[in-house]
């Protein structure tokens, strides 16, 4: 039985990945570069600092990863007001789980300032008992750190928690932490390899609760 549900944020609850990519594209354009499509599978789900290291190295940008992360973050945060949208079914699923008394956690690669901003924008600032951001762990996804910490803060064993993820790196992180995992890919991630490790691949958030019930994970 499931004792807690732990959500990823970007691409699962918030339709932000197009904004994330646009910010990187605008940033690398400063150096007359384009963001290679083949890099995208290595970026989805990673912390900003980790993504910056990959991009600076692969494109040989004449800046440090730390500077690239900071300057790209400025572009991204400036693009958010008025453009933050929930993924379809996000509010309904959270409300249904809370109505059942299921503790909810968030385990995201996003930094705390960003996470607080978008949760407030969407009216989800009080939805989660536990928030684990990329600032809270030594290693970002696909390392298991964020899910290990979220389960511990919820007071649940990892094996009794289910993660909701949209990208293979997140699925890998959840499974490495010992959680069960439901993958809900979106338009940016559904073509990526690596979802086979999930317990199921679902078409949308509206399919999560019916799947949990029909497979006996909820009574």
């Amino acid at each position: 039985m499931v004792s807690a549900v732990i959500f990823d944020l970007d691409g699962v609850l918030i339709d932000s990945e197009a904004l994330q990519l646009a910010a990187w594209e605008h940033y690398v354009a400063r150096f007359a570069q384009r963001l290679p499509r083949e890099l995208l599978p290595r970026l989805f789900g990673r912390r900003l600092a980790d993504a910056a290291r990959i991009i600076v190295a692969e494109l040989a940008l004449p800046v440090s990863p730390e500077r690239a992360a900071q300057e790209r973050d400025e572009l991204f945060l400036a693009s958010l007001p008025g453009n933050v949208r929930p993924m379809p079914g996000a509010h309904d699923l959270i409300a249904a789980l809370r109505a059942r008394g299921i503790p909810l956690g968030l385990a995201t690669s996003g930094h705390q300032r960003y996470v607080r901003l978008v949760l407030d924008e969407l009216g989800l600032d009080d939805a989660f008992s536990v928030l684990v951001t990329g600032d809270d762990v030594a290693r970002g996804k696909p390392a298991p750190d964020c899910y290990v910490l979220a389960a511990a803060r919820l007071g649940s064993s990892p094996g009794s928690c289910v993660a909701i993820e949209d990208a293979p790196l997140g699925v890998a992180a959840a499974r490495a932490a010992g959680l069960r995992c439901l993958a809900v890919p979106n338009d940016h991630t559904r073509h990526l390899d690596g979802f086979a490790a999930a317990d199921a691949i679902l078409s949308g958030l509206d399919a999560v609760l019916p799947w949990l019930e029909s497979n006996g994970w909820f009574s």
Side-chain angles (χ1 to χ4, degrees):
M1 300 297 291
V2 171
S3 66
V5 175
I6 303 175
F7 287 88
D8 178 41
L9 179 65
D10 294 297
V12 172
L13 297 177
I14 296 178
D15 188 6
S16 59
E17 287 174 332
L19 296 173
Q20 301 261 11
L21 293 178
W24 271 122
E25 288 166 350
H26 291 156
Y27 182 70
V28 301
R30 295 179 178 179
F31 306 97
Q33 296 266 24
R34 299 185 68 181
L35 189 64
R37 298 293 100 182
E38 58 269 23
L39 275 187
L40 300 188
R42 298 171 61 189
L43 303 180
F44 287 123
R46 287 194 191 273
R47 295 184 300 183
L48 174 60
D50 298 329
R53 280 191 283 272
I54 292 171
I55 289 173
V56 167
E58 291 293 330
L59 300 185
L61 299 184
V63 293
S64 67
E66 294 76 18
R67 178 178 168 186
Q70 178 183 353
E71 293 178 346
R72 179 270 185 193
D73 202 33
E74 292 170 358
L75 292 171
F76 176 57
L77 293 176
S79 75
L80 292 178
N83 292 312
V84 178
R85 301 285 184 272
M87 294 298 286
H91 283 93
D92 289 343
L93 177 57
I94 287 171
L97 292 171
R98 293 183 73 185
R100 286 172 170 260
I102 302 297
L104 304 181
L106 191 74
T108 174
S109 295
H111 58 70
Q112 189 167 123
R113 178 186 171 197
Y114 161 65
V115 172
R116 295 288 186 183
L117 187 158
V118 294
L119 291 180
D120 181 66
E121 185 96 357
L122 292 180
L124 295 175
D125 47 319
D126 63 346
F128 302 98
S129 302
V130 164
L131 297 179
V132 174
T133 72
D135 299 328
D136 296 319
V137 293
R139 300 178 299 168
K141 299 174 184 179
D145 301 30
C146 63
Y147 281 111
V148 170
L149 182 57
R153 287 181 174 177
L154 284 164
S156 297
S157 65
S160 69
C161 297
V162 59
I164 312 296
E165 273 285 353
D166 73 303
L169 291 179
V171 172
R175 297 300 288 150
L179 279 73
R180 290 173 279 182
C181 184
L182 299 180
V184 186
N186 56 55
D187 290 343
H188 297 284
T189 61
R190 69 181 75 241
H191 66 285
L192 302 178
D193 295 327
F195 287 112
D199 291 274
I201 303 171
L202 304 179
S203 60
L205 293 176
D206 59 347
V208 169
L209 193 53
W211 193 95
L212 291 171
E213 292 172 337
S214 66
N215 284 274
W217 289 18
F218 282 170
S219 58

